Amino acid sequence: MEPISARSMISAAAKGAAVTTNEGTRRVERRKRLSPAALAVANEKVQPAYSPIVIAGSVRLADFLTIAAVGIALYFAIVVHRNGFSWEYIAAIFGITLTAIVAFHAADLYEVQLFRGTLKQTTRLISAWSFVFLLFIGASFFAKLGGEVSRLWLGSFFSLGLIALIGERMAVRALVRRWGREGRLDRRTVIVGADDNGARLIEALKAEHADASDIHILGVFDDRNDARSQSTCAGVPKLGKIDDIPEFARRTRVDLVLFALPISAETRILAMLKKLWVLPVDIRLSAHTNKLRFRPRAYSYVGKVPTLDVFEAPITDWDLVIKQVFDRVVGGLILLAAAPVMALVALAIKLDSPGPVLFRQKRFGFNNERIDVLKFRSMYHHEADPTASKVVTRNDPRVTRVGRFIRRTSLDELPQLLNVVFKGNLSLVGPRPHAVLGKLQSRLFDEAVDGYFARHRVKPGITGWAQINGWRGEIDNEEKIKKRVEFDLYYIENWSVLFDFYILLRTPWALLKGENAY
């Protein structure tokens, strides 16, 4: 059997497991009691994580701006007042800048772990910077341009540029060390398997930790109660069973779930993945003890430990930055444009019935977090239903005259722009946030459709792919909630900025149709 084919079969089976109906999956989504050890870990204060990829990219940008700024400033200070302005110098400055970025990358100067140190970082920086200038001098010599380049400018550029870069890297070092102390760079990891395989994996990761690995092992989870499952595993406490991981991951930040089980235990692995795939975390299978070896490119690595990727957290690193900037900038512009309409709606609500203009409702946010979503009040104040325990139906007597209009046109959703721009707990585009007690007849939504909570792997949105395709409004049959989840999962798996733009552009037309909104 080809190694890569084996890996593909495991991934395909895991993804198939993700969409298989399973009563156990639905039951595990209930708020459940964790063990005292798990609660102690979950209640620790945890800072949000910073992406190493974004940090490295930001340092690249800072290097580019620093080098270009020094070169241009020295050019205007030394050359321009003597020889006049020349675009050739500007081209040379940007050529040196781009070459320096490539040389720094080749010297591994954009590894986050390197940012923590001083000596290794500085020596590599000096070597790479010197190489760039030697390369430029050699190129100038062979192009017979040596006499046209100001030696004073070139020497000043080398010296002051190096000083500026070292100063910038010292500032980065201070920031990265502080973030490291705060735990913002840690990959908070749980291990599945409290047996000998788990112990060997933990020992391998701890050995990496001595080499400044960012893996922070929170604990071990295992369903077995026999002698193979230990109460502590290589000094790491057992926190509970596999069913406890979703609740644990919703109470504290978990970045990685790492299986210590052998790949041959396929049935057990797939059964566990059915419970865990709904979480917004990376899930990997450790391959450090497996006798079956795949092609090297089939592996990703946690430190030096080989692993096989099964699920990845959606919308991470630069994608997450882009989406957040998109939400704040575009959301702010829409909020400014909608302000007059919002003022008129608020006035109409106030004149139509007594009570506050705005209404707060508890809804599911990212990773099942409970968030307060703002809406214009569309019901009589004494009939307010903040938990949405009773579905709004056609000609519902609880809805006011103005409320019927703003619900049909979705104008009642406009205050959610405040959630997007100021609170940041909603996106412009994403799965719509459902009320925490939203029901289909007598069943909660997660009881009606398997994998329901997978739609919470990203931040919810004001509008979404399901809504513009007609799956909005009242949910009075099983098909409607299943279709919503199906379209939401499609959006999560296929997200892009252009996809968000497309959904936003189609949203006004979908709202004008007013289907299923009462």
Coordinates of all heavy atoms in Angstrom, one line a residue, residues 135-213:
L135 N 27.0 41.8 -2.2 CA 26.4 41.4 -3.4 C 26.1 42.7 -4.3 O 26.3 42.7 -5.5 CB 25.0 40.7 -3.1 CG 24.3 40.1 -4.3 CD1 25.2 39.0 -5.0 CD2 23.0 39.5 -3.9
F136 N 25.6 43.8 -3.6 CA 25.4 45.0 -4.3 C 26.6 45.6 -4.9 O 26.7 46.1 -6.0 CB 24.7 46.0 -3.4 CG 24.4 47.4 -4.0 CD1 23.4 47.5 -4.9 CD2 25.2 48.4 -3.7 CE1 23.1 48.8 -5.5 CE2 25.0 49.7 -4.2 CZ 23.9 49.8 -5.1
I137 N 27.7 45.6 -4.1 CA 29.0 46.2 -4.5 C 29.5 45.4 -5.7 O 30.0 45.9 -6.7 CB 30.0 46.2 -3.4 CG1 29.6 47.2 -2.3 CG2 31.4 46.5 -3.9 CD1 30.4 47.1 -1.0
G138 N 29.4 44.0 -5.6 CA 29.9 43.2 -6.7 C 29.1 43.5 -8.0 O 29.6 43.6 -9.1
A139 N 27.8 43.6 -7.9 CA 26.9 43.9 -9.0 C 27.2 45.2 -9.6 O 27.3 45.4 -10.8 CB 25.4 43.8 -8.6
S140 N 27.5 46.2 -8.8 CA 27.9 47.6 -9.3 C 29.2 47.5 -10.0 O 29.4 48.2 -11.0 CB 28.0 48.6 -8.1 OG 26.7 48.6 -7.4
F141 N 30.1 46.7 -9.5 CA 31.5 46.6 -10.1 C 31.3 46.0 -11.5 O 31.9 46.6 -12.5 CB 32.4 45.8 -9.3 CG 33.7 45.5 -9.9 CD1 34.7 46.5 -9.9 CD2 33.9 44.3 -10.5 CE1 35.9 46.2 -10.6 CE2 35.2 44.0 -11.1 CZ 36.2 45.0 -11.1
F142 N 30.6 44.9 -11.6 CA 30.5 44.3 -13.0 C 29.6 45.1 -13.9 O 29.8 45.0 -15.1 CB 29.9 42.9 -12.8 CG 30.9 41.9 -12.2 CD1 30.8 41.4 -10.9 CD2 32.0 41.5 -13.0 CE1 31.8 40.5 -10.4 CE2 32.9 40.5 -12.5 CZ 32.8 40.1 -11.2
A143 N 28.7 45.9 -13.4 CA 27.9 46.8 -14.3 C 28.6 48.1 -14.6 O 28.0 49.0 -15.2 CB 26.6 47.0 -13.6
K144 N 29.8 48.3 -14.0 CA 30.6 49.5 -14.2 C 29.9 50.7 -13.7 O 29.9 51.8 -14.3 CB 31.0 49.7 -15.7 CG 31.9 48.5 -16.2 CD 32.3 48.8 -17.6 CE 33.2 47.6 -18.1 NZ 33.6 47.8 -19.5
L145 N 29.2 50.6 -12.5 CA 28.5 51.7 -11.9 C 29.1 52.1 -10.6 O 28.6 53.0 -10.0 CB 27.0 51.3 -11.7 CG 26.2 50.9 -12.9 CD1 24.8 50.4 -12.5 CD2 26.0 52.1 -13.8
G146 N 30.3 51.5 -10.3 CA 30.9 51.9 -9.0 C 31.2 53.3 -8.8 O 31.0 53.9 -7.8
G147 N 31.6 54.0 -9.9 CA 31.9 55.4 -9.8 C 30.7 56.3 -9.7 O 30.9 57.5 -9.3
E148 N 29.6 55.8 -10.0 CA 28.4 56.6 -9.9 C 27.6 56.5 -8.6 O 26.7 57.3 -8.4 CB 27.4 56.2 -11.1 CG 28.0 56.4 -12.4 CD 27.1 56.0 -13.5 OE1 25.9 55.8 -13.2 OE2 27.5 55.8 -14.7
V149 N 28.0 55.6 -7.7 CA 27.4 55.4 -6.4 C 28.2 56.2 -5.4 O 29.4 56.0 -5.3 CB 27.2 53.9 -6.1 CG1 26.6 53.8 -4.7 CG2 26.4 53.2 -7.2
S150 N 27.5 57.0 -4.6 CA 28.1 57.7 -3.5 C 28.6 56.7 -2.4 O 27.9 56.0 -1.8 CB 27.2 58.7 -2.9 OG 27.7 59.2 -1.7
R151 N 30.0 56.7 -2.2 CA 30.5 55.9 -1.2 C 30.1 56.2 0.2 O 29.9 55.4 1.1 CB 32.1 55.8 -1.3 CG 32.6 55.2 -2.6 CD 34.1 55.3 -2.7 NE 34.6 54.6 -3.9 CZ 34.5 55.1 -5.1 NH1 34.0 56.3 -5.3 NH2 35.0 54.4 -6.2
L152 N 29.9 57.6 0.4 CA 29.5 58.0 1.7 C 28.1 57.5 2.0 O 27.8 57.1 3.1 CB 29.5 59.6 1.8 CG 29.0 60.2 3.1 CD1 29.8 59.7 4.3 CD2 29.0 61.7 3.0
W153 N 27.2 57.6 1.0 CA 25.8 57.1 1.1 C 25.8 55.6 1.4 O 25.1 55.2 2.3 CB 25.0 57.5 -0.1 CG 23.7 56.8 -0.1 CD1 22.5 57.2 0.5 CD2 23.3 55.6 -0.8 NE1 21.5 56.3 0.3 CE2 21.9 55.3 -0.5 CE3 24.0 54.7 -1.7 CZ2 21.3 54.2 -1.1 CZ3 23.3 53.6 -2.2 CH2 22.0 53.4 -1.9
L154 N 26.6 54.9 0.6 CA 26.6 53.4 0.7 C 27.1 53.0 2.1 O 26.5 52.1 2.7 CB 27.5 52.8 -0.4 CG 27.4 51.3 -0.5 CD1 26.0 50.9 -0.9 CD2 28.4 50.8 -1.6
G155 N 28.2 53.6 2.6 CA 28.8 53.3 3.9 C 27.8 53.6 5.0 O 27.6 52.9 6.0
S156 N 27.2 54.8 4.9 CA 26.2 55.3 5.9 C 25.0 54.3 5.9 O 24.4 54.0 7.0 CB 25.8 56.7 5.6 OG 26.9 57.6 5.7
F157 N 24.5 53.9 4.7 CA 23.4 53.0 4.6 C 23.7 51.7 5.3 O 22.8 51.2 6.0 CB 23.0 52.8 3.1 CG 21.7 52.1 2.9 CD1 20.8 51.8 3.9 CD2 21.4 51.8 1.6 CE1 19.6 51.2 3.6 CE2 20.1 51.1 1.3 CZ 19.3 50.9 2.3
F158 N 24.9 51.2 5.0 CA 25.2 49.9 5.7 C 25.3 50.0 7.2 O 24.7 49.3 7.9 CB 26.6 49.4 5.2 CG 27.1 48.2 5.9 CD1 26.7 47.0 5.5 CD2 28.0 48.3 6.9 CE1 27.1 45.8 6.2 CE2 28.5 47.2 7.6 CZ 28.0 45.9 7.2
S159 N 25.9 51.1 7.7 CA 26.1 51.2 9.2 C 24.8 51.6 9.9 O 24.4 50.9 10.8 CB 27.2 52.3 9.4 OG 28.4 52.0 8.8
L160 N 24.1 52.6 9.4 CA 22.9 53.1 10.1 C 21.8 52.0 9.9 O 21.0 51.9 10.8 CB 22.5 54.4 9.6 CG 23.4 55.6 10.0 CD1 22.9 56.9 9.4 CD2 23.6 55.7 11.5
G161 N 21.8 51.4 8.7 CA 20.8 50.4 8.5 C 20.9 49.2 9.4 O 20.0 48.7 10.0
L162 N 22.2 48.8 9.6 CA 22.4 47.7 10.6 C 22.0 48.1 12.0 O 21.4 47.3 12.7 CB 23.9 47.3 10.5 CG 24.3 46.2 11.4 CD1 23.6 44.9 11.1 CD2 25.8 45.9 11.3
I163 N 22.4 49.3 12.4 CA 22.0 49.8 13.7 C 20.5 49.8 13.9 O 19.9 49.4 14.9 CB 22.6 51.2 14.0 CG1 24.1 51.1 14.1 CG2 22.0 51.8 15.3 CD1 24.8 52.4 14.1
A164 N 19.8 50.3 12.9 CA 18.3 50.4 12.9 C 17.7 49.0 13.0 O 16.8 48.8 13.8 CB 17.8 51.2 11.7
L165 N 18.3 48.1 12.2 CA 17.7 46.7 12.2 C 18.0 46.0 13.6 O 17.1 45.3 14.1 CB 18.4 45.9 11.1 CG 17.9 46.2 9.7 CD1 18.8 45.5 8.7 CD2 16.4 45.7 9.5
I166 N 19.1 46.2 14.2 CA 19.4 45.6 15.5 C 18.5 46.2 16.5 O 18.0 45.5 17.4 CB 20.9 45.8 15.8 CG1 21.8 45.0 14.9 CG2 21.2 45.4 17.3 CD1 23.3 45.2 15.1
G167 N 18.3 47.6 16.5 CA 17.4 48.2 17.4 C 16.0 47.7 17.3 O 15.3 47.4 18.3
E168 N 15.5 47.5 16.0 CA 14.2 47.0 15.8 C 14.1 45.6 16.3 O 13.1 45.2 17.0 CB 13.9 47.0 14.3 CG 12.6 46.4 13.9 CD 12.7 45.6 12.6 OE1 13.2 46.2 11.6 OE2 12.2 44.5 12.5
R169 N 15.1 44.7 16.1 CA 15.0 43.3 16.6 C 15.1 43.3 18.1 O 14.5 42.3 18.7 CB 16.2 42.5 16.0 CG 16.0 42.2 14.5 CD 14.7 41.6 14.2 NE 14.5 41.3 12.8 CZ 14.7 40.0 12.3 NH1 15.0 39.0 13.1 NH2 14.5 39.8 11.0
M170 N 15.7 44.2 18.7 CA 15.7 44.2 20.2 C 14.3 44.5 20.7 O 13.9 44.0 21.7 CB 16.8 45.2 20.7 CG 18.2 44.8 20.5 SD 18.6 43.2 21.2 CE 18.5 42.1 19.7
A171 N 13.6 45.4 20.0 CA 12.3 45.7 20.4 C 11.4 44.5 20.2 O 10.5 44.2 21.0 CB 11.7 46.9 19.6
V172 N 11.6 43.8 19.1 CA 10.8 42.6 18.8 C 11.1 41.6 19.9 O 10.2 40.9 20.3 CB 11.1 42.1 17.4 CG1 10.5 40.7 17.2 CG2 10.6 43.0 16.3
R173 N 12.4 41.4 20.2 CA 12.7 40.4 21.2 C 12.0 40.7 22.5 O 11.5 39.8 23.2 CB 14.3 40.5 21.5 CG 14.8 39.7 22.6 CD 16.3 39.9 22.7 NE 16.8 39.2 23.9 CZ 16.9 39.8 25.1 NH1 16.4 41.0 25.3 NH2 17.4 39.1 26.1
A174 N 11.9 42.0 23.0 CA 11.3 42.3 24.2 C 9.8 42.0 24.1 O 9.2 41.4 25.1 CB 11.5 43.8 24.5
L175 N 9.2 42.3 23.0 CA 7.7 42.0 22.8 C 7.5 40.5 22.8 O 6.6 40.0 23.5 CB 7.2 42.6 21.5 CG 6.8 44.0 21.5 CD1 6.5 44.4 20.0 CD2 5.7 44.3 22.4
V176 N 8.3 39.7 22.1 CA 8.1 38.3 22.0 C 8.3 37.6 23.4 O 7.6 36.7 23.7 CB 9.0 37.7 20.9 CG1 9.0 36.2 21.0 CG2 8.6 38.1 19.5
R177 N 9.3 38.1 24.1 CA 9.5 37.5 25.4 C 8.4 37.8 26.4 O 8.0 36.9 27.2 CB 10.8 38.0 26.0 CG 12.1 37.4 25.4 CD 13.3 37.7 26.2 NE 14.4 36.8 25.8 CZ 15.5 36.7 26.5 NH1 15.7 37.3 27.6 NH2 16.5 35.9 26.0
R178 N 7.8 39.0 26.3 CA 6.7 39.3 27.1 C 5.5 38.5 26.7 O 4.8 38.0 27.6 CB 6.3 40.8 27.0 CG 5.3 41.3 28.0 CD 4.9 42.7 27.8 NE 4.0 42.9 26.6 CZ 3.6 44.1 26.1 NH1 4.1 45.2 26.6 NH2 2.8 44.1 25.1
W179 N 5.2 38.3 25.4 CA 4.1 37.5 25.0 C 4.3 36.1 25.4 O 3.4 35.4 25.7 CB 4.0 37.6 23.5 CG 3.6 39.0 23.0 CD1 2.9 39.9 23.7 CD2 3.8 39.5 21.7 NE1 2.7 41.0 22.9 CE2 3.2 40.8 21.7 CE3 4.4 39.1 20.5 CZ2 3.3 41.6 20.6 CZ3 4.4 39.9 19.4 CH2 3.9 41.1 19.4
G180 N 5.6 35.6 25.4 CA 5.9 34.2 25.8 C 5.5 34.1 27.3 O 5.0 33.0 27.7
R181 N 5.9 35.0 28.1 CA 5.6 35.0 29.6 C 4.1 35.0 29.8 O 3.6 34.3 30.7 CB 6.2 36.1 30.3 CG 7.7 36.0 30.4 CD 8.3 37.0 31.4 NE 8.0 38.4 31.0 CZ 8.7 39.2 30.3 NH1 9.9 38.7 29.8 NH2 8.4 40.4 30.0
E182 N 3.3 35.7 28.9 CA 1.9 35.8 29.1 C 1.2 34.5 28.5 O 0.0 34.4 28.6 CB 1.4 37.0 28.4 CG 1.8 38.3 29.0 CD 1.4 39.5 28.2 OE1 1.0 39.4 27.1 OE2 1.6 40.7 28.7
G183 N 1.9 33.7 27.8 CA 1.3 32.5 27.2 C 0.6 32.7 25.9 O 0.0 31.8 25.4
R184 N 0.9 33.9 25.3 CA 0.2 34.2 24.0 C 0.8 33.4 22.8 O 0.2 33.3 21.8 CB 0.3 35.7 23.7 CG -0.5 36.5 24.7 CD -0.3 38.0 24.3 NE -1.0 38.9 25.3 CZ -2.3 39.2 25.2 NH1 -3.0 38.7 24.2 NH2 -2.8 40.1 26.1
L185 N 2.0 32.9 23.0 CA 2.7 32.1 21.9 C 2.6 30.6 22.2 O 3.1 29.8 21.3 CB 4.2 32.6 21.8 CG 4.4 34.0 21.6 CD1 5.9 34.3 21.5 CD2 3.7 34.5 20.3
D186 N 2.0 30.2 23.3 CA 1.9 28.8 23.6 C 0.9 28.1 22.7 O -0.2 28.7 22.4 CB 1.5 28.5 25.0 CG 2.6 28.9 26.0 OD1 3.7 29.1 25.5 OD2 2.3 29.0 27.2
R187 N 1.1 26.9 22.3 CA 0.1 26.0 21.6 C -0.4 25.1 22.7 O 0.2 24.1 23.1 CB 0.7 25.2 20.5 CG 1.2 26.0 19.3 CD 1.4 25.2 18.1 NE 0.1 24.8 17.6 CZ -0.1 24.0 16.6 NH1 0.9 23.4 16.0 NH2 -1.4 23.7 16.1
R188 N -1.6 25.5 23.2 CA -2.2 24.8 24.3 C -2.7 23.5 23.8 O -3.7 23.5 23.0 CB -3.3 25.7 25.0 CG -2.6 26.9 25.7 CD -3.7 27.9 26.1 NE -4.7 27.3 27.1 CZ -4.5 27.2 28.4 NH1 -3.4 27.7 28.9 NH2 -5.5 26.7 29.1
T189 N -2.2 22.4 24.3 CA -2.4 21.1 23.7 C -3.0 20.1 24.7 O -2.6 20.1 25.9 CB -1.0 20.5 23.2 OG1 -0.5 21.4 22.3 CG2 -1.2 19.2 22.5
V190 N -3.9 19.3 24.3 CA -4.4 18.1 25.0 C -4.0 16.8 24.3 O -4.0 16.8 23.1 CB -5.9 18.2 25.3 CG1 -6.3 19.4 26.1 CG2 -6.7 18.1 24.0
I191 N -3.6 15.8 25.1 CA -3.2 14.6 24.5 C -4.3 13.5 24.7 O -4.9 13.5 25.8 CB -1.9 14.1 25.3 CG1 -0.8 15.1 25.2 CG2 -1.4 12.7 24.7 CD1 -0.3 15.4 23.8
V192 N -4.6 12.8 23.7 CA -5.6 11.7 23.8 C -4.8 10.4 23.9 O -4.1 10.0 22.9 CB -6.5 11.7 22.5 CG1 -7.5 10.5 22.6 CG2 -7.3 13.0 22.5
G193 N -5.0 9.7 25.0 CA -4.3 8.5 25.3 C -3.4 8.6 26.4 O -2.3 9.2 26.4
A194 N -3.8 7.9 27.6 CA -3.0 8.0 28.8 C -2.2 6.7 29.0 O -2.2 6.2 30.2 CB -3.9 8.3 30.0
D195 N -1.7 6.1 28.0 CA -1.0 4.8 28.1 C 0.5 5.0 27.8 O 1.0 6.1 27.8 CB -1.6 3.8 27.2 CG -1.7 4.3 25.7 OD1 -1.1 5.3 25.4 OD2 -2.3 3.6 24.9
D196 N 1.2 3.9 27.5 CA 2.6 4.1 27.2 C 2.9 4.9 26.0 O 3.9 5.7 25.9 CB 3.2 2.7 27.0 CG 3.2 1.9 28.3 OD1 3.2 2.5 29.4 OD2 3.3 0.6 28.3
N197 N 2.0 4.8 25.0 CA 2.2 5.7 23.8 C 2.1 7.1 24.1 O 2.8 8.0 23.7 CB 1.1 5.3 22.7 CG 1.4 4.0 22.0 OD1 2.6 3.6 21.9 ND2 0.4 3.3 21.6
G198 N 1.1 7.4 25.0 CA 0.9 8.8 25.5 C 2.1 9.3 26.2 O 2.6 10.4 26.1
A199 N 2.7 8.4 27.1 CA 3.9 8.8 27.9 C 5.1 9.1 27.0 O 5.8 10.1 27.2 CB 4.2 7.7 28.9
R200 N 5.3 8.2 25.9 CA 6.4 8.5 25.0 C 6.2 9.7 24.2 O 7.2 10.5 24.0 CB 6.5 7.3 24.1 CG 7.1 6.0 24.8 CD 7.6 5.0 23.7 NE 6.5 4.4 23.0 CZ 5.8 3.3 23.4 NH1 6.2 2.7 24.5 NH2 4.8 2.8 22.7
L201 N 5.0 10.0 23.9 CA 4.7 11.3 23.1 C 5.0 12.5 24.0 O 5.6 13.5 23.6 CB 3.3 11.3 22.6 CG 2.8 12.6 22.0 CD1 3.6 13.0 20.8 CD2 1.3 12.5 21.6
I202 N 4.5 12.5 25.3 CA 4.7 13.6 26.2 C 6.2 13.8 26.4 O 6.7 14.9 26.5 CB 4.0 13.4 27.5 CG1 2.5 13.4 27.2 CG2 4.4 14.4 28.5 CD1 1.6 13.0 28.4
E203 N 7.0 12.7 26.6 CA 8.4 12.8 26.8 C 9.1 13.4 25.6 O 10.0 14.3 25.8 CB 9.0 11.4 27.1 CG 8.6 10.8 28.4 CD 9.1 11.6 29.6 OE1 10.0 12.4 29.5 OE2 8.6 11.4 30.8
A204 N 8.7 13.0 24.4 CA 9.2 13.6 23.2 C 8.9 15.1 23.1 O 9.8 15.9 22.8 CB 8.7 12.9 22.0
L205 N 7.7 15.5 23.5 CA 7.3 16.9 23.4 C 8.1 17.7 24.5 O 8.5 18.9 24.3 CB 5.8 17.1 23.6 CG 5.0 16.5 22.4 CD1 3.5 16.6 22.8 CD2 5.2 17.3 21.2
K206 N 8.3 17.1 25.7 CA 9.0 17.8 26.8 C 10.5 18.0 26.4 O 11.1 19.0 26.7 CB 8.9 17.0 28.1 CG 7.5 17.1 28.8 CD 7.5 16.4 30.1 CE 6.2 16.6 30.8 NZ 6.2 15.8 32.1
A207 N 11.0 17.0 25.7 CA 12.4 17.2 25.2 C 12.5 18.3 24.3 O 13.4 19.1 24.3 CB 12.9 15.9 24.5
E208 N 11.4 18.5 23.4 CA 11.4 19.7 22.5 C 11.3 21.0 23.3 O 11.8 22.0 23.0 CB 10.2 19.5 21.6 CG 10.5 18.6 20.5 CD 11.6 19.0 19.6 OE1 11.7 20.2 19.2 OE2 12.4 18.1 19.3
H209 N 10.5 20.9 24.5 CA 10.3 22.1 25.3 C 11.6 22.7 25.8 O 11.8 23.9 25.9 CB 9.4 21.8 26.4 CG 8.9 23.0 27.2 ND1 8.1 23.9 26.6 CD2 9.3 23.5 28.4 CE1 7.9 24.9 27.5 NE2 8.6 24.7 28.6
A210 N 12.6 21.8 26.1 CA 13.9 22.2 26.5 C 14.6 23.0 25.4 O 15.4 23.9 25.7 CB 14.7 21.0 26.9
D211 N 14.1 22.8 24.2 CA 14.7 23.6 23.0 C 13.8 24.7 22.6 O 13.7 25.1 21.5 CB 14.9 22.6 21.9 CG 15.8 23.2 20.8 OD1 16.6 24.1 21.1 OD2 15.6 22.8 19.6
A212 N 13.0 25.2 23.6 CA 12.2 26.4 23.5 C 11.0 26.1 22.6 O 10.5 27.0 21.8 CB 13.0 27.6 22.9
S213 N 10.4 24.9 22.6 CA 9.2 24.6 21.9 C 8.0 25.4 22.6 O 8.1 25.6 23.8 CB 8.9 23.1 21.9 OG 7.6 22.9 21.4

